[in-house]
Amino acid sequence: MPGLQTKPPSRIQQENRRAILDAALDAFSTHGFRGTTLDQIAEKAGLSKPNLLYYFPSKEAIHTELLSGLLDTWLDPLRALDPAGDPKAELLRYVHRKLEMSREMPRESRLFANEVLQGAPHLGPLLGTGLKALVDEKTVVLRAWMDEGRIARLHPVHLIFSIWALTQHYADFDVQVRAVLGDEGTDPYPEASLFIDTLFTKLLSP
Amino acid sequence: MPGLQTKPPSRIQQENRRAILDAALDAFSTHGFRGTTLDQIAEKAGLSKPNLLYYFPSKEAIHTELLSGLLDTWLDPLRALDPAGDPKAELLRYVHRKLEMSREMPRESRLFANEVLQGAPHLGPLLGTGLKALVDEKTVVLRAWMDEGRIARLHPVHLIFSIWALTQHYADFDVQVRAVLGDEGTDPYPEASLFIDTLFTKLLSP
DNA sequence: GTCTATATAGTGATAGAC
DNA sequence: GTCTATCACTATATAGAC
């Protein structure tokens, strides 16, 4: 019986949107925004270029769609830092969760890195508002822990920077990491995890 | 008396080359290779586009010229690590020198980051040869220091990665660093220097 | 909804006057 | 050595058939 469903997005539509976003993530994360062409995205998604533009109005729209959700996902582990938990355990859990994300979502990490590296032209003021607000909130928690003598006294914001820098390095500079370690096939993450655990355990001890 | 000098590059030529490379460094480091246009470079260098191409045969030639010298400069401080020196002092000197470079040469850092982030399409195999060789050489030194119990036993390569990650973060993610710290005008480096000094002092203590 | 064909603008590079 | 004009090519986006 036709005419019953008016505008629920069909399964094939949802599948195509997902394929486009996945292909675009691949391309944007390795070639940057300008370096990516609609042809590349269309081919990898298995669609024609005009058909791709039926799903998204423009190249920028695809990019924005990807970025918009990303910052939130990216900061979830920091958001989960529990003021009531054990300080060292909470921070180490954050570090390890962040490193896991580098391994499991390297494309997302590189997309974000590309964006920030180029001056955050699309993410823009969100860094100074949403991101800053979250860091400020967690800074209070860190300072309290330091005042109680439960972790070493350090600059709280630079402590967070150090977590970001060390964990994201393995996704963003993956090519360099593997080239220097040699043994092409080997997974660098187990050793990285050990190293980072040692580093922060020592750093946080009062 | 004409005809005496055959082909010594005139002062204006040298000046133009320098202006082009400087403009190109600006552009490439913030927009990437594909994201940069010859128009942008030409305008910032104060030359016409054809005139720019009189000095360099192609866009790629400018990019290659910039990259070729960069890796060497970038690794100089690591090369300077003295096996005969005091281990902790040598490593801390390396860390601080590297952080200084992030402050003084942020564009070069971002140019390099852009390149590696996108899979090192131009730097390519140099990472697996020249860079790996240098790291391997210094790894031997680090291991010896660890065997002698003069610094803590850590994975030497990941130790080097951590130095790179932490110091370069301040150049590559400058926008984010300043957005989170707030106080637009403030220089983040003094605090960063203190933090990183503390971090590596703790980490290297046996 | 998906395709072929094409409009339109931008971009790397060249030709040739001065 | 430097400029104006322009070529050849690519890329985003649209029109319109099916």
Side-chain angles (χ1 to χ4, degrees):
Chain A
M1 224 169 226
L4 266 185
Q5 37 189 358
T6 50
K7 270 189 198 167
S10 75
R11 259 208 45 232
I12 210 166
Q13 270 181 323
Q14 292 187 317
E15 177 56 32
N16 276 343
R17 265 186 72 94
R18 208 205 47 76
I20 291 170
L21 288 174
D22 187 74
L25 178 57
D26 241 58
F28 284 138
S29 64
T30 51
H31 303 114
F33 180 73
R34 292 281 311 270
T36 297
T37 68
L38 288 181
D39 284 295
Q40 294 170 14
I41 303 178
E43 195 200 0
K44 202 167 294 193
L47 277 75
S48 71
K49 194 161 46 168
N51 196 10
L52 186 157
L53 287 166
Y54 166 77
Y55 286 94
F56 290 91
S58 70
K59 177 179 167 181
E60 186 137 17
I62 307 177
H63 190 249
T64 302
E65 175 89 4
L66 282 174
L67 267 186
S68 67
L70 183 53
L71 190 61
D72 264 10
T73 310
W74 217 237
L75 291 176
D76 269 344
L78 178 57
R79 217 171 271 118
L81 206 71
D82 182 6
D86 175 64
K88 279 185 76 170
E90 283 295 319
L91 280 166
L92 281 174
R93 200 164 57 90
Y94 175 44
V95 169
H96 282 289
R97 182 76 197 92
K98 198 80 180 45
L99 187 64
E100 264 174 48
M101 288 179 77
S102 278
R103 176 159 67 175
E104 286 161 18
M105 306 161 68
R107 298 179 303 174
E108 283 84 349
S109 183
R110 284 194 284 266
L111 180 71
F112 186 75
N114 258 305
E115 171 69 9
V116 176
L117 197 56
Q118 311 197 350
H122 304 96
L123 226 50
L126 224 75
L127 298 181
T129 55
L131 176 60
K132 184 181 186 326
L134 177 62
V135 171
D136 284 346
E137 177 196 326
K138 296 306 179 182
T139 295
V140 176
V141 178
L142 292 176
R143 252 191 253 278
W145 287 343
M146 292 173 192
D147 288 341
E148 297 164 12
R150 302 175 76 186
I151 58 173
R153 178 164 301 282
L154 300 160
H155 193 300
V157 180
H158 287 273
L159 173 59
I160 292 175
F161 286 160
S162 71
I163 296 174
W164 293 347
L166 283 165
T167 55
Q168 290 171 197
H169 184 83
Y170 289 95
D172 301 343
F173 290 77
D174 180 73
V175 185
Q176 182 178 259
V177 166
R178 291 177 191 274
V180 169
L181 283 174
D183 287 335
E184 305 309 314
T186 316
D187 179 7
Y189 280 94
E191 285 176 341
S193 180
L194 264 172
F195 177 84
I196 289 188
D197 193 276
T198 305
L199 188 152
F200 282 104
T201 301
K202 281 193 161 194
L203 180 63
L204 294 173
S205 295
Chain B
M1 222 171 227
L4 266 187
Q5 39 188 357
T6 50
K7 268 190 198 165
S10 75
R11 258 208 45 234
I12 209 167
Q13 269 181 324
Q14 292 187 317
E15 178 55 32
N16 276 343
R17 265 187 71 94
R18 207 206 47 75
I20 290 170
L21 288 174
D22 188 73
L25 177 57
D26 242 59
F28 284 138
S29 64
T30 51
H31 303 114
F33 180 73
R34 294 280 310 269
T36 298
T37 68
L38 289 181
D39 285 294
Q40 295 170 13
I41 303 178
E43 194 199 0
K44 202 168 293 192
L47 277 74
S48 69
K49 193 162 47 166
N51 196 11
L52 185 157
L53 288 167
Y54 166 79
Y55 286 94
F56 290 90
S58 70
K59 177 180 169 181
E60 185 138 19
I62 307 177
H63 190 249
T64 302
E65 176 89 5
L66 283 173
L67 268 186
S68 67
L70 183 53
L71 189 61
D72 264 11
T73 309
W74 217 238
L75 291 175
D76 268 345
L78 178 56
R79 217 172 269 117
L81 206 72
D82 183 5
D86 176 65
K88 277 183 78 170
E90 284 294 321
L91 280 166
L92 282 174
R93 200 163 57 88
Y94 175 44
V95 169
H96 282 290
R97 182 75 196 93
K98 197 81 181 46
L99 187 64
E100 264 174 48
M101 288 178 77
S102 278
R103 175 159 65 176
E104 287 161 19
M105 305 161 65
R107 297 179 305 172
E108 284 84 349
S109 183
R110 284 193 283 267
L111 180 70
F112 186 76
N114 258 304
E115 171 69 9
V116 176
L117 197 57
Q118 311 197 351
H122 304 96
L123 227 51
L126 224 76
L127 298 181
T129 56
L131 175 60
K132 182 179 186 328
L134 177 61
V135 172
D136 283 347
E137 178 195 325
K138 295 306 180 183
T139 296
V140 176
V141 177
L142 291 176
R143 252 191 253 277
W145 286 344
M146 292 173 193
D147 288 343
E148 297 164 12
R150 303 174 76 186
I151 57 173
R153 178 165 299 282
L154 300 160
H155 192 301
V157 180
H158 286 273
L159 172 59
I160 293 176
F161 287 159
S162 72
I163 297 174
W164 292 348
L166 283 165
T167 55
Q168 290 170 198
H169 184 82
Y170 289 95
D172 301 343
F173 290 79
D174 181 73
V175 185
Q176 182 178 260
V177 166
R178 291 178 191 275
V180 169
L181 282 173
D183 286 333
E184 304 310 312
T186 316
D187 179 7
Y189 280 96
E191 285 175 340
S193 180
L194 264 172
F195 176 85
I196 288 187
D197 193 276
T198 305
L199 187 151
F200 283 104
T201 301
K202 281 194 163 193
L203 179 63
L204 295 172
S205 296

